[in-house]
């Protein structure tokens, strides 16, 4: 079963194919679950196939006692529980009750967040409204994702966000196919509670120190869309260091991390960030403003640029950015004065 195809990053996919890397069953499960570009139906089908065509074994990726419900499970049992939880969440989202109200939302390519479509008393009507948008020759082309949110019913839910208590969420593709389901603790569902956040999965990476990379981010999360193409200079990939951040012998449930140098208004800062196998090489031509400072930084980290030339290049880029800001402020002041004269 080819599960490398589920890696979010095209560059990591290519590298794994090039080195003929063989995934173990835990890695395969993790990559299927974390895949951002397949539907929930496709995800469940792939997980069921994984159980049918792989040998069962003990799980080695979970060591933290915080995830005690997962310790000692075999891989197949873990997968079956995950599938069972997913079905339970989706059933809860779809089940009708007068205790709940649904909201349909859309996200278009020009927006950083979801936009309200309408409120509905059941899932089917909510989904129908989304499908009308998705199938519309004009509106459907503009929308990247849709969202259905289930709230505890309140007479004032349509007029006050304070009265909303979200219990479940469903993300849909631009074709109105379900991508992800999730339920909050207030849903009252009795779940196994298994989750990939408990898994410490390490996979070879093609990136070397000094490479300029970008994080793709989860496309239907507004916070990630705002930080889409989060550029940095790659420093290291540190699966073995997780657990050392809190002086604990076991990891804290975080995914694999990568260390990078990120551009700031003045200088750079070093930071580690979650690693969901969505890191790709950045095209230098797409770098703008302060992100251009990563070019001389990457060259210096690779030993191809002397420190004095690096500092000169960075200073020139920072000065240019500051002049652009001042120029924009001057143009704004001139425009305001023109408006005041009218």
């Amino acid at each position: 079963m080819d599960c490398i195809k589920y890696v979010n990053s095209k560059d990591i996919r290519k590298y794994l194919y090039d080195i003929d890397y063989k995934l173990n069953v835990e890695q395969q499960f993790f990559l299927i679950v974390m895949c951002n570009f397949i539907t929930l139906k496709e995800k469940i089908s792939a997980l069921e196939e994984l159980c049918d065509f792989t040998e069962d074994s003990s799980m080695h990726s979970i060591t933290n006692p915080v995830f005690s419900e997962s310790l000692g499970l075999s891989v197949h049992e873990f997968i079956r529980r995950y599938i069972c939880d997913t079905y339970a969440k989706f059933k809860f989202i779809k089940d009708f009750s007068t205790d709940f109200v649904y909201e349909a939302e859309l996200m278009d390519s020009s927006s950083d967040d979801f936009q309200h479509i309408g409120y509905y008393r059941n899932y089917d009507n909510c989904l129908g409204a989304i499908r009308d948008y998705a199938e519309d020759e004009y509106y459907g082309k503009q929308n990247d994702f849709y969202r259905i949110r289930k709230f505890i019913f309140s007479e004032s839910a349509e007029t006050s966000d304070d009265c909303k208590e979200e219990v479940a969420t469903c993300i849909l593709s631009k074709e109105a196919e379900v991508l992800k389901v999730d339920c909050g603790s207030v849903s009252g569902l009795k779940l196994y509670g298994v989750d990939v956040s408990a898994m410490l999965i390490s996979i070879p990476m093609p990136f070397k120190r000094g490479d300029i990379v970008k994080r793709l981010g989860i496309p239907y999360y507004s916070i990630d869309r705002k930080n889409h193409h989060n550029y940095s200079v790659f420093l290291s990939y540190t699966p073995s260091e997780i657990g050392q951040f809190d002086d604990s012998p076991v990891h804290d449930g975080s995914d694999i991390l990568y260390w990078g140098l990120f551009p700031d208004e003045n200088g750079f800062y070093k930071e580690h960030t979650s690693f969901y196998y969505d890191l790709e090489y950045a095209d230098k031509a797409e770098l703008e403003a302060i992100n251009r400072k990563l070019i001389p930084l990457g060259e210096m980290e690779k030993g191809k640029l002397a420190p004095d030339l690096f500092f000169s290049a960075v200073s020139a880029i920072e000065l240019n950015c500051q002049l652009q800001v001042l120029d924009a402020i001057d143009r704004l002041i001139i425009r305001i004065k023109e408006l005041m004269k009218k």
Side-chain angles (χ1 to χ4, degrees):
M1 183 176 179
D2 176 19
C3 288
I4 290 177
K5 65 183 180 182
Y6 297 117
V7 176
N8 291 309
S9 163
K10 69 178 188 304
D11 293 323
I12 298 175
R13 282 200 304 270
K14 181 180 183 303
Y15 178 69
L16 294 176
Y17 283 130
D18 287 346
I19 65 174
D20 195 25
Y21 187 75
K22 305 301 181 186
L23 298 166
N24 64 41
V25 65
E26 290 182 74
Q27 292 171 324
Q28 293 177 75
F29 165 68
F30 183 89
L31 293 177
I32 293 171
V33 171
M34 294 307 302
C35 184
N36 290 330
F37 52 80
I38 60 174
T39 67
L40 187 65
K41 183 178 180 180
E42 291 171 325
K43 196 168 290 188
I44 295 299
S45 177
L47 293 176
E48 290 174 339
E49 182 181 351
L50 189 62
C51 276
D52 290 340
F53 294 98
T54 58
E55 292 186 7
D56 200 5
S57 61
S58 298
M59 292 197 72
H60 301 288
S61 63
I62 300 176
T63 59
N64 195 330
V66 170
F67 302 99
S68 57
E69 71 281 356
S70 301
L71 295 175
L73 293 179
S74 71
V75 179
H76 285 187
E77 179 60 25
F78 190 92
I79 294 173
R80 282 191 286 267
R81 291 190 181 194
Y82 182 89
I83 293 173
C84 186
D85 280 358
T86 302
Y87 278 132
K89 292 176 184 178
F90 194 35
K91 182 179 184 300
F92 171 77
I93 290 175
K94 295 171 66 176
D95 283 351
F96 172 76
S97 170
T98 56
D99 295 333
F100 301 100
V101 63
Y102 294 82
E103 182 182 17
E105 299 173 303
L106 61 83
M107 175 187 278
D108 63 46
S109 55
S110 63
S111 173
D112 287 328
D113 209 345
F114 286 89
Q115 309 297 315
H116 176 75
I117 295 176
Y119 289 100
Y120 305 89
R121 291 314 311 274
N122 60 64
Y123 176 87
D124 290 338
N125 288 348
C126 195
L127 180 61
I130 285 175
R131 282 179 173 163
D132 287 342
Y133 269 82
E135 294 171 2
D136 186 279
E137 187 175 339
Y138 174 73
Y139 288 105
K141 293 181 179 180
Q142 299 187 63
N143 302 318
D144 296 326
F145 301 98
Y146 297 90
R147 180 167 66 183
I148 293 175
R149 295 201 288 175
K150 187 174 185 177
F151 298 98
I152 294 176
F153 178 73
S154 168
E155 293 290 347
S156 56
E158 297 187 23
T159 59
S160 174
D161 288 338
D162 295 335
C163 298
K164 296 179 182 179
E165 188 170 3
E166 182 180 313
V167 293
T169 305
C170 182
I171 304 294
L172 301 95
S173 69
K174 65 187 305 176
E175 293 82 19
E177 295 288 338
V178 176
L179 300 175
K180 179 180 175 63
V181 293
D182 197 17
C183 294
S185 58
V186 291
S187 66
L189 281 178
K190 293 182 179 180
L191 304 171
Y192 287 109
V194 297
D195 189 80
V196 294
S197 64
M199 302 176 68
L200 182 61
I201 297 295
S202 174
I203 292 177
M205 296 293 138
F207 313 109
K208 302 293 187 295
R209 187 181 183 91
D211 288 343
I212 302 175
V213 296
K214 59 183 177 184
R215 253 201 92 188
L216 300 179
I218 302 174
Y220 42 79
Y221 285 170
S222 58
I223 188 171
D224 283 319
R225 284 173 61 89
K226 291 175 182 177
N227 295 321
H228 196 58
H229 291 171
N230 194 8
Y231 298 98
S232 64
V233 164
F234 188 87
L235 292 181
S236 64
Y237 170 55
T238 56
S240 61
E241 291 182 18
I242 294 181
Q244 297 179 18
F245 301 120
D246 57 1
D247 297 322
S248 170
V250 292
H251 75 94
D252 62 358
S254 302
D255 188 23
I256 301 299
L257 307 180
Y258 79 87
W259 285 94
L261 287 168
F262 296 78
D264 206 349
E265 185 177 352
N266 294 295
F268 304 88
Y269 63 95
K270 179 182 178 183
E271 189 172 74
H272 64 78
T273 183
S274 298
F275 205 178
Y276 289 126
Y277 308 106
D278 61 353
L279 206 64
E280 293 184 354
Y281 292 110
D283 181 355
K284 293 180 181 179
E286 68 189 26
L287 298 176
E288 299 178 347
I290 62 170
N291 283 323
R292 290 194 58 79
K293 295 194 299 182
L294 295 175
I295 297 175
L297 176 63
E299 293 298 296
M300 187 182 72
E301 287 293 331
K302 292 183 177 183
K304 297 180 179 179
L305 186 66
D308 57 336
L309 295 177
F310 158 74
F311 284 114
S312 297
V314 169
S315 298
I317 294 171
E318 288 179 344
L319 178 60
N320 185 59
C321 290
Q322 292 168 4
L323 292 175
Q324 288 178 348
V325 171
L326 292 174
D327 184 53
I329 293 174
D330 289 340
R331 289 198 305 270
L332 179 60
I333 292 173
I334 293 171
R335 179 58 178 160
I336 292 173
K337 289 180 178 179
E338 290 175 347
L339 292 173
M340 292 178 66
K341 290 178 181 179
K342 293 183 179 179

